[in-house]
Amino acid sequence: MSPTPERPNLLIMVTCGLLTSLVVIAFARMAYGVILPPMRADLGLSYQQAGILGTITALGYLLFVLAGGVAAARFGAKPTIVFGLISVALGFAGLTLASHYWLLLGLMALLGFGTAFSFAPMVSLLATWYPEKRGLVIGLMTSGVGMGMLLVGALVPLMTSLFGDNGWRVSWGLFGCVAVIVAVLITVFAKDPPRLAASSGETPPSDDKWLIYRNHRVVTVATVYGIIGVTYIVQAIFMISFMVEEGHAESTAGAFMAMMGLMSIAAGPLWGWLSDHWGRGNALTASLALVTLAMGLPLVDQSLATFFLHFLVMGLSVNGMFALIQASATDQVAPRYIPIAFSFVTVFFASGQLVGPAVAGWLIEFSGGFRVAFGFTFVVLLAGVYLTLRIRRFPAEVAVGAPTTRD
């Protein structure tokens, strides 16, 4: 798309979104699962402590995600996103030096805080600028997660081999450098949309927030997003450790994660494009069903081939699942309500991220293995697939529209 007076160049804006998701999702959240084995061994952490570290990041996200939306509405999305990225960079820098568990908790919380001020505002920014290609542009943004996973899967084992016990610290430091670079790029190239002024006699969008919070369609989408939050973070944190615990090499696990990331780069945009043409609900059901299948495979068998299939199917579907549930959230409301609706459903997602690692860590400690924990995620995902069947039946009209056409 060529630039117009109304909209910036699509490629530039999508690249900004892609890099943001790379830093705040792939590096700040998913990389922890790859860094965890050497980090846990070096610091002597239990699996329950490791799960709490993942949980505290989700808690920081949950507590501040609505504040991030308010900040974006008041000060603009671009400065809010940059503030979030700088916060994440500070968290990465601290992790390169910290060893005390309480300090680690604070730094992991800072990663969640920064993510709250950067990820949701960026998704809302793209959805507002390009509503007719919402699935595609959000899918392109999620490909940053795949690129980040590819980098993490290759980089962390390399740093461990080069720097030994300090390799995990060097990895956090490199993530911090990338976060600062992305913040600079967004400062220079990103563009805020014009503010959506209310027409004469209309109330401000924030005055109508309870119409969104109580709408059954928005709540259904939010519940599915919460289920995704519970399950994907457990996979990201513990699947590598599960594989290593079953006797497979850490380097092989890293290679499988890199493969998953490589496939995810294309999967998000493809699923998004498919949903723009086939229907959001149809594509969402298919992608979530594939994720459920992938999560069930290691429960049946723990061979190298089964773990390979797990990461293969996840690579084909997980980024599509993210892109489609995020696009579905923005589909339910008129453009003026997108920041409010997306912040609301993100609270469910962040709550799921908060619950997932803590429950999984406890189940791992209680059962002495990983199968019970991943069995829990499989059952929760089945409930999510059922709810997507309801989303498939949603009418095309928005659930919360202009003040004179509210459902």
Side-chain angles (χ1 to χ4, degrees):
M1 176 183 296
S2 61
T4 72
E6 294 78 24
R7 295 198 287 190
N9 182 276
L10 185 145
L11 179 60
I12 290 175
M13 290 298 296
V14 166
T15 300
C16 289
L18 181 152
L19 292 173
T20 300
S21 66
L22 181 147
V23 170
V24 302
I25 301 299
F27 289 174
R29 299 309 313 275
M30 302 189 75
Y32 177 58
V34 182
I35 291 177
L36 177 59
M39 182 177 174
R40 190 179 73 86
D42 187 36
L43 299 179
L45 303 174
S46 69
Y47 280 116
Q48 188 168 14
Q49 287 177 312
I52 292 173
L53 285 176
T55 299
I56 205 69
T57 306
L59 180 60
Y61 190 30
L62 174 62
L63 291 177
F64 290 97
V65 65
L66 291 179
V70 170
R74 180 172 297 177
F75 304 110
K78 185 169 83 168
T80 303
I81 294 164
V82 171
F83 171 75
L85 287 167
I86 295 300
S87 301
V88 168
L90 291 174
F92 288 147
L95 288 167
T96 66
L97 303 172
S99 295
H100 194 281
Y101 185 67
W102 290 104
L103 182 55
L104 292 172
L105 285 172
L107 292 167
M108 295 295 285
L110 184 58
L111 297 183
F113 171 86
T115 301
F117 280 84
S118 49
F119 183 73
M122 181 57 78
V123 173
S124 297
L125 199 62
L126 291 176
T128 302
W129 274 124
Y130 310 104
E132 78 284 359
K133 296 183 178 180
R134 195 167 288 170
L136 176 61
V137 296
I138 294 177
L140 287 166
M141 178 177 170
T142 64
S143 67
V145 179
M147 292 180 183
M149 290 167 57
L150 177 63
L151 289 172
V152 168
L155 181 66
V156 173
L158 177 61
M159 294 300 101
T160 301
S161 66
L162 290 177
F163 298 98
D165 291 343
N166 289 319
W168 64 271
R169 296 185 184 274
V170 175
S171 299
W172 286 124
L174 291 174
F175 297 160
C177 293
V178 175
V180 171
I181 292 170
V182 174
V184 172
L185 292 174
I186 290 177
T187 300
V188 174
F189 294 110
K191 181 181 177 183
D192 273 325
R195 300 200 176 230
L196 296 174
S199 301
S200 176
E202 290 185 9
T203 58
S206 58
D207 288 358
D208 299 328
K209 59 182 179 293
W210 286 105
L211 291 175
I212 300 165
Y213 297 165
R214 293 195 296 259
N215 186 272
H216 73 93
R217 283 164 56 180
V218 176
V219 170
T220 299
V221 173
T223 303
V224 175
Y225 204 15
I227 286 170
I228 291 170
V230 169
T231 55
Y232 113 92
I233 197 64
V234 173
Q235 192 270 352
I237 292 175
F238 292 115
M239 187 57 75
I240 293 288
S241 297
F242 186 13
M243 190 173 171
V244 171
E245 191 83 2
E246 292 296 327
H248 305 295
E250 189 176 318
S251 59
T252 303
F256 284 4
M257 178 67 81
M259 175 196 70
M260 174 180 162
L262 182 62
M263 300 187 70
S264 296
I265 294 171
L270 286 174
W271 279 103
W273 174 85
L274 181 65
S275 74
D276 287 335
H277 294 81
W278 185 32
R280 203 84 70 210
N282 293 329
L284 177 61
T285 298
S287 63
L288 194 62
L290 285 173
V291 170
T292 306
L293 171 64
M295 202 68 74
L297 288 172
L299 299 176
V300 178
D301 179 62
Q302 295 80 47
S303 67
L304 189 64
T306 301
F307 279 110
F308 173 81
L309 287 174
H310 165 83
F311 284 102
L312 177 69
V313 177
M314 287 292 288
L316 290 170
S317 54
V318 69
N319 267 14
M321 173 186 71
F322 272 106
L324 300 179
I325 194 62
Q326 291 161 6
S328 294
T330 66
D331 285 339
Q332 307 311 315
V333 298
R336 70 198 305 260
Y337 298 123
I338 284 176
I340 300 170
F342 195 80
S343 295
F344 175 66
V345 302
T346 302
V347 169
F348 283 66
F349 174 71
S351 300
Q353 287 185 311
L354 178 66
V355 171
V359 172
W362 179 81
L363 288 173
I364 291 167
E365 295 285 342
F366 176 78
S367 65
F370 291 86
R371 287 187 234 185
V372 173
F374 283 105
F376 160 74
T377 64
F378 179 77
V379 172
V380 173
L381 280 168
L382 285 176
V385 173
Y386 168 76
L387 289 176
T388 64
L389 296 176
R390 296 179 59 184
I391 295 175
R392 289 179 67 239
R393 297 193 293 270
F394 285 171
E397 297 78 13
V398 296
V400 183
T404 57
T405 60
R406 294 166 183 161
D407 288 350

